[in-house]
């Protein structure tokens, strides 16, 4: 899909990961209306994301799926083994290892609310732009097919990949997939990505009410 055919006004902009960068940049640009279920997680696996969408997030972050895998300075790192989604921000270290799961009930309630809002918006808002980072052409085809099973209205999928070669320019691609656009950008200094690059690629996108 040609880049100019993707820009325009959308009812909603929804992050599909892979990292927190997508949600952060949408929020910075004033295009993010609410927190989605994948906004603040790491979701590297497209096949697992495809299953998550096809199953309407059924079983997402269920207690029996969770495993403590690491810790940061202030949080435990917890993985949903059913969908390979990793949380870095939801289980604070002050709870200690013995009490880590005390944080689960409010966490799961929050996630369930975000899932329902995401599904409701995806189904009944049109058009919608989904955005995901670090995704190949083959994966984008799989992801679009999964989104086709979810959506009632019009939508498009924007793939934002970091340059593997360290280039500092924004390069648009046309994979020849209807409803899917792809762009390569510099990675930026940290997890937030390059503000300048995101300003460039999101120029021409607006939020309609």
């Amino acid at each position: 899909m040609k880049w100019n055919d993707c820009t325009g006004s959308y009812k909603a902009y929804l992050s599909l990961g892979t990292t927190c960068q997508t949600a952060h940049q949408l929020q910075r640009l004033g295009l993010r209306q609410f927190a989605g279920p994948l906004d603040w997680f790491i979701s590297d696996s497209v096949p697992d994301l495809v299953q998550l969408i096809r199953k309407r997030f059924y079983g997402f972050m269920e207690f029996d799926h969770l495993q403590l895998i690491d810790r940061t300075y202030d949080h435990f790192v917890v993985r949903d083994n059913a969908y390979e989604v990793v949380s870095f921000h939801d289980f604070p270290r002050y709870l200690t290892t013995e009490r880590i799961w005390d944080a689960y009930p409010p966490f799961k309630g929050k996630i369930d609310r975000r899932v329902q809002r995401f599904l409701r918006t995806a189904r009944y808002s049109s058009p919608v732009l989904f955005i995901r980072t670090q995704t190949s052409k083959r994966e984008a085809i799989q992801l679009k097919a999964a989104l086709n099973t979810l959506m009632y209205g019009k939508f498009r999928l924007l793939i934002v990949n970091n340059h593997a070669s360290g280039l500092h320019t924004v390069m648009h691609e046309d994979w020849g997939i209807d409803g899917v656009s792809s762009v390569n950008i510099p990675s930026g200094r940290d997890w937030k990505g390059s503000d300048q690059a995101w300003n460039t690629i999101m120029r021409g996108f607006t939020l309609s009410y």
Side-chain angles (χ1 to χ4, degrees), residues 51-183:
Q51 289 304 308
L52 196 59
I53 292 170
R54 288 186 180 276
K55 293 179 179 179
R56 308 296 188 264
F57 289 80
Y58 177 79
F60 184 49
M61 289 293 171
E62 287 295 329
F63 184 76
D64 291 344
H65 299 166
L66 301 187
Q67 179 184 0
L68 172 61
I69 61 171
D70 204 348
R71 62 199 68 201
T72 65
Y73 174 76
D74 54 358
H75 283 84
F76 293 103
V77 181
V78 173
R79 181 175 62 213
D80 179 340
N81 288 325
Y83 295 108
E84 294 298 317
V85 176
V86 182
S87 161
F88 284 84
H89 309 296
D90 301 293
F91 297 88
R93 286 280 299 274
Y94 69 76
L95 288 176
T96 73
T97 305
E98 293 74 20
R99 296 186 54 219
I100 175 178
W101 303 117
D102 289 358
Y104 179 74
F107 163 73
K108 187 59 166 64
K110 175 181 67 177
I111 294 304
D112 287 347
R113 289 191 297 272
R114 291 179 179 180
V115 164
Q116 291 307 312
R117 191 162 44 199
F118 177 93
L119 293 176
R120 187 168 57 249
T121 301
R123 288 169 178 165
Y124 301 115
S125 298
S126 180
V128 173
L129 184 71
F130 293 95
I131 303 177
R132 179 171 169 86
T133 60
Q134 301 306 101
T135 299
S136 68
K137 177 180 178 180
R138 177 181 59 83
E139 291 171 331
I141 293 172
Q142 297 171 2
L143 189 52
K144 181 173 183 287
L147 290 170
N148 280 334
T149 70
L150 172 66
M151 300 298 294
Y152 294 162
K154 295 180 180 179
F155 73 94
R156 287 170 178 159
L157 173 62
L158 170 62
I159 303 297
V160 181
N161 291 323
N162 292 334
H163 283 300
S165 58
L167 295 176
H168 297 286
T169 57
V170 172
M171 297 178 61
H172 303 299
E173 295 182 298
D174 184 358
W175 285 342
I177 310 170
D178 184 45
V180 178
S181 292
S182 173
V183 61

Side-chain angles (χ1 to χ4, degrees), residues 4-13 31 33 125-129 154-156 202-209:
N4 289 338
D5 294 333
C6 189
T7 57
S9 183
Y10 292 84
K11 286 284 188 180
Y13 293 80
L31 298 174
Q33 298 168 291
S125 298
S126 180
V128 173
L129 184 71
K154 295 180 180 179
F155 73 94
R156 287 170 178 159
M202 299 308 295
R203 187 177 300 125
F205 289 92
T206 59
L207 187 62
S208 60
Y209 295 94

